[in-house]
Amino acid sequence: MTESDIKIPEDFFLRMKGTLQSAFPDFLKSLKETSPISIRQNQYKNFSIEGESVPWCKTGRHLKTRPVFTLDPALHAGAYYVQEASSMFLEQAIKQLDLDKKPIRVLDLCAAPGGKSTHLAGLLHEDSLLVSNEVIRTRASILDENLTKWGVGNVVITNNDPRDFENLTGFFDVIVVDAPCSGEGLFRKDHEAMTEWSVNNVQLSAKRQQRILTDVWPALRSDGILIYSTCTYNSLENEENMQWLTEQHKLESINLNIESEWGIEEVKHKNIIGYRFYPHHVVGEGFFLSVVQKQESIEPVSINKKVAPTLPAKKIQEQLSHWVIDPDHYTFHQHNDLISLFRKSLATDHLFLYRKLHIVNSGTAVATLKGDKLIPEHAMALSTRLNRERFQTAELNKTDALNFLRKENIHLTGHTKGYLLVTNQNLPLGWLNVLDNRSNNLYPKTWRIRMGNSPV
Ligand code: SAM
């Protein structure tokens, strides 16, 4: 963003000047700088990216320059996620409260496009369940795409209003509310956020956040943890909203340890502790996070533990179990022609949620049954559970990999008829169905990249 592009709303300017005082010129200067670029690596995919570490996130890296991400096959393979660094602080809440040490149920309520959900999916215990929800249908599809690429299967993707979670009383151990907000922290990254900002919009956002919190609160179990975050600076949408919650419900604010060199501001407001990120103090955008623990006792919704997955025929199960790493910990579930994979310990939860929520995706889609033939699903190619030894593989160069991702025809020789896993830099990208004289590219149509090789 150039200086001449910046039209900071006057009310925002005056408020920040009053809040930051002598630090205000540094803040203003940072708004005129180019946004830093950062990514978070997928620890389950064998791939690493060089860059300076993000101090509060083990897999976070700052990049020196912005690559054309769309033209990097590794992004489409789910090897990393492009995410603003301040948001990666979520990891500290999870790790410092030992939420990664035991099997738990987590709801990410406002999840699209999937930054926090992909992060959580990688961090949580292997027997934990993540329900990743997005209220807007089109955004739920993007969330589904990003989580499928990430390849961690203990996830249920839902498309529900926060109100719909009220019949899941006490079901979740942790709820993450990364709330829709006035977006002040994104001003330098996103000009639109600046033009849409007004004092009135801040107030409307704060009220909407209160409604969201009220709607989802019953779904948190006794002693459960709520992680609330926004990408805005104003106290109304942040610590004041958390304080408002303490006045509606019994809860306790939770303290996190931060290193002074991280540059994060600890915010204390009445009973609330929060963490604020300013772009002149951190290599990242504006962000706020606060953690509270529920201090109310609540009767959890009862789950019928006897409900069992619909298993495919024995022969099919045997065949499919060779496709999966560590099959003893997993079960298949057949719905119409689609066979999915659930972690055994989570099968009841997956099936229970089908009756309660609008499910976009649940577990990992493994294969579709056509007659007695099994057609591998794209999600399985990208799954961290895929047993690659079971399939013939072809490593594509970057040009062919991008053509594959554009869903163009790929000509390969020397492979036997059947399904072939294509890779680039040893990362699976998807399936080709090799026929006698040609092959069919099975890359999902709606995901195909449309950018040519030399973007201008
Ligand atoms: N957590 C996401 C991430 O890390 O990638 C970003 C979430 S974004 C800040 C907020 C999300 O809340 C958006 O996807 C938006 O569609 C959704 N949203 C908008 N209005 C909502 C509402 N009334 N209730 C719940 N979610 C809402």
Side-chain angles (χ1 to χ4, degrees), residues 303-435:
I303 303 165
N304 182 356
K305 296 243 157 67
K306 288 193 188 125
V307 179
T310 308
L311 296 172
K314 225 171 177 99
K315 205 176 96 198
I316 302 286
Q317 284 183 63
E318 267 168 30
Q319 218 175 322
L320 285 181
S321 64
H322 297 294
W323 293 20
V324 178
I325 298 171
D326 203 9
D328 291 349
H329 284 100
Y330 290 84
T331 178
F332 297 107
H333 172 64
Q334 183 169 350
H335 179 70
N336 298 329
D337 293 339
L338 181 69
I339 300 167
S340 300
L341 187 74
F342 298 154
R343 184 102 181 146
K344 258 185 194 159
S345 59
L346 299 173
T348 333
D349 281 6
H350 280 279
L351 298 169
F352 171 71
L353 290 173
Y354 267 108
R355 294 190 285 119
K356 297 282 179 187
L357 297 169
H358 181 236
I359 307 286
V360 176
N361 215 332
S362 191
T364 304
V366 181
T368 303
L369 251 181
K370 240 190 186 164
D372 59 354
K373 279 211 182 87
L374 285 168
I375 303 169
E377 282 287 321
H378 187 67
M380 198 57 201
L382 300 175
S383 169
T384 56
R385 304 314 323 157
L386 177 74
N387 178 13
R388 289 172 58 166
E389 284 169 17
R390 172 61 189 74
F391 296 93
Q392 52 174 342
T393 305
E395 169 74 11
L396 303 183
N397 62 30
K398 189 171 177 187
T399 307
D400 284 343
L402 288 171
N403 286 337
F404 174 78
L405 295 167
R406 292 187 184 104
K407 204 170 167 60
E408 289 174 6
N409 287 332
I410 305 291
H411 303 288
L412 296 173
T413 49
H415 296 282
T416 49
K417 263 171 77 170
Y419 295 102
L420 173 108
L421 184 72
V422 296
T423 61
N424 174 251
Q425 300 175 85
N426 206 24
L427 293 165
L429 295 176
W431 304 107
L432 277 183
N433 186 13
V434 180
L435 305 168

Side-chain angles (χ1 to χ4, degrees), residues 81 83 87 108-117 133-136 139 160-162 178-181 208 211-212 229-231:
Y81 188 93
Q83 189 181 28
S87 307
D108 183 8
L109 183 68
C110 313
K116 312 280 180 312
S117 275
N133 178 69
E134 169 58 41
V135 67
I136 299 173
R139 289 178 63 79
N160 283 88
D161 189 279
D178 187 32
C181 69
R208 179 167 59 181
R211 278 199 303 277
I212 292 173
S229 61
T230 72
C231 53

Side-chain angles (χ1 to χ4, degrees), residues 5-164:
D5 289 331
I6 297 179
K7 291 200 179 57
I8 299 175
E10 197 185 343
D11 288 322
F12 173 74
F13 184 98
L14 292 174
R15 195 195 78 216
M16 294 308 285
K17 196 172 175 192
T19 308
L20 295 173
Q21 303 197 4
S22 63
F24 184 65
D26 288 345
F27 171 72
L28 212 53
K29 186 165 160 271
S30 76
L31 287 193
K32 292 167 188 169
E33 286 162 3
T34 316
S35 288
I37 315 292
S38 48
I39 56 99
R40 190 171 33 72
Q41 304 175 98
N42 187 337
Q43 67 271 43
Y44 290 110
K45 305 222 171 178
N46 196 9
F47 193 76
S48 67
I49 293 177
E50 273 184 30
E52 205 177 307
S53 296
V54 174
W56 43 83
C57 173
K58 200 171 163 202
T59 50
R61 297 285 178 275
H62 293 291
L63 306 187
K64 285 204 176 93
T65 52
R66 186 181 185 90
V68 182
F69 285 117
T70 308
L71 297 183
D72 183 4
L75 176 75
H76 303 278
Y80 65 91
Y81 188 93
V82 184
Q83 189 181 28
E84 182 290 298
S86 305
S87 307
M88 301 178 196
F89 185 65
L90 173 66
E91 178 160 320
Q92 291 302 316
I94 300 295
K95 286 190 169 166
Q96 291 188 30
L97 302 179
D98 285 342
L99 301 173
D100 53 343
K101 300 280 188 307
K102 53 182 187 282
I104 55 171
R105 295 184 188 124
V106 180
L107 168 64
D108 183 8
L109 183 68
C110 313
K116 312 280 180 312
S117 275
T118 50
H119 199 175
L120 289 163
L123 278 177
L124 297 174
H125 185 278
E126 59 189 353
D127 284 306
S128 285
L129 181 80
L130 172 65
V131 176
S132 182
N133 178 69
E134 169 58 41
V135 67
I136 299 173
R137 182 70 191 92
T138 47
R139 289 178 63 79
S141 301
I142 296 163
L143 176 66
D144 182 25
E145 178 177 336
N146 285 332
L147 278 164
T148 302
K149 286 176 177 169
W150 205 249
V152 176
N154 296 358
V155 183
V156 181
I157 300 162
T158 59
N159 174 215
N160 283 88
D161 189 279
R163 231 176 298 132
D164 301 337

